Amino acid sequence: MSEWSPVATVYDPLKAGSIDGTDLEPHDKAVWRAMMARYKPNKGVTGDPHLTLFVARLNPQTSEDKLQEVFSKFGDIRRVRLVRDIVTGFSKRYAFVEYKEERSVKRAWKDANKLLVDQYELFVDFEQERTLQGWIPRRLGGGQGGKKESGQLRFGGRDRPFRKPINLTSMMPQNRSAERWDASSGREDRQRDHEQDREHGRWHVFF
């Protein structure tokens, strides 16, 4: 059995839809849609995915120049790409920032998350589309994070890591297996009941 991790190392839509990654059945239609999806990363996206950050929850008015100004504090930037609607040209409120060096992207990942920019608190994470095996985007029912109001939270990412599953065996006395614990508990219960019956019988004899 693989070691538990709060952050997914491989994307599984079924696990992403579960708060502790243990669901056996999809709990909403979007999870089912993500499980059925066959998604391939956009080949038109260029740059080094391991040097790229995903920046979300932007103010709709935040520009590329503003992002360049903010994120250049963490190191030399190769490229900033603010994603816009292809019809209206309006910001979709997320962007990608590619650095020239690994130390810069790590520093920005650590220090820029929850940074206030234009009165909006940013969410910053490493790019997932080209680095996380099995990735399914939000529009296909996958993704990570989300708001409670949507009813489609996704776990296993920086925003909403998995909660550690409850291990019932940890509640047992040390150095006993579950089987031995159950058996001994049963014997103790039967012995206690037998003693109570004997005491009850004595009261009937003398009174």
Side-chain angles (χ1 to χ4, degrees):
M1 183 177 180
S2 60
E3 185 177 351
W4 178 84
S5 171
V7 177
T9 54
V10 174
Y11 192 82
D12 182 333
L14 181 58
K15 291 182 178 180
S18 170
I19 194 169
D20 59 4
T22 61
D23 279 6
L24 299 178
E25 297 289 340
H27 73 275
D28 65 52
K29 292 182 179 179
V31 171
W32 181 259
R33 187 169 75 252
M35 291 171 65
M36 296 295 102
R38 295 293 179 267
Y39 179 75
K40 293 183 179 180
N42 186 350
K43 293 182 179 180
V45 176
T46 60
D48 188 336
H50 299 287
L51 296 178
T52 302
L53 291 177
F54 170 70
V55 183
R57 301 174 189 168
L58 297 170
N59 185 315
Q61 304 304 317
T62 297
S63 65
E64 287 94 337
D65 289 341
K66 182 65 175 183
L67 291 173
Q68 180 82 30
E69 175 189 338
V70 171
F71 282 87
S72 62
K73 297 175 182 178
F74 305 106
D76 292 334
I77 292 176
R78 189 181 305 278
R79 184 188 181 199
V80 173
R81 180 168 66 93
L82 177 63
V83 179
R84 298 179 179 274
D85 186 282
I86 59 174
V87 176
T88 65
F90 294 153
S91 168
K92 286 192 171 184
R93 300 186 57 209
Y94 67 93
F96 296 92
V97 178
E98 182 187 359
Y99 283 93
K100 294 182 179 180
E101 297 180 318
E102 184 178 1
R103 62 181 179 179
S104 299
V105 74
K106 287 183 176 180
R107 182 183 174 194
W109 179 87
K110 178 177 179 292
D111 295 337
N113 190 45
K114 298 186 178 181
L115 191 68
L116 281 178
V117 175
D118 294 335
Q119 290 78 52
Y120 278 59
E121 187 178 272
L122 303 184
F123 172 71
V124 178
D125 200 359
F126 298 117
E127 182 191 330
Q128 304 284 20
E129 181 177 12
R130 295 180 292 167
T131 60
L132 187 60
Q133 181 183 344
W135 175 254
I136 302 293
R138 169 64 67 171
R139 69 177 183 273
L140 296 179
Q144 292 175 337
K147 296 181 179 180
K148 291 182 179 179
E149 296 80 5
S150 70
Q152 295 182 4
L153 297 178
R154 298 293 179 263
F155 300 90
R158 185 180 198 184
D159 190 30
R160 293 186 180 277
F162 289 127
R163 292 186 184 177
K164 194 165 188 178
I166 297 174
N167 184 0
L168 295 179
T169 58
S170 65
M171 300 171 61
M172 296 188 299
Q174 292 183 352
N175 301 324
R176 286 188 181 181
S177 66
E179 183 178 355
R180 289 179 58 195
W181 186 45
D182 290 341
S184 63
S185 297
R187 286 196 300 271
E188 291 168 1
D189 290 342
R190 288 193 297 272
Q191 183 177 358
R192 183 172 59 253
D193 292 342
H194 182 63
E195 290 174 353
Q196 289 176 349
D197 288 342
R198 286 197 303 173
E199 290 294 326
H200 185 66
R202 289 176 185 173
W203 286 110
H204 279 286
V205 170
F206 290 102
F207 293 91

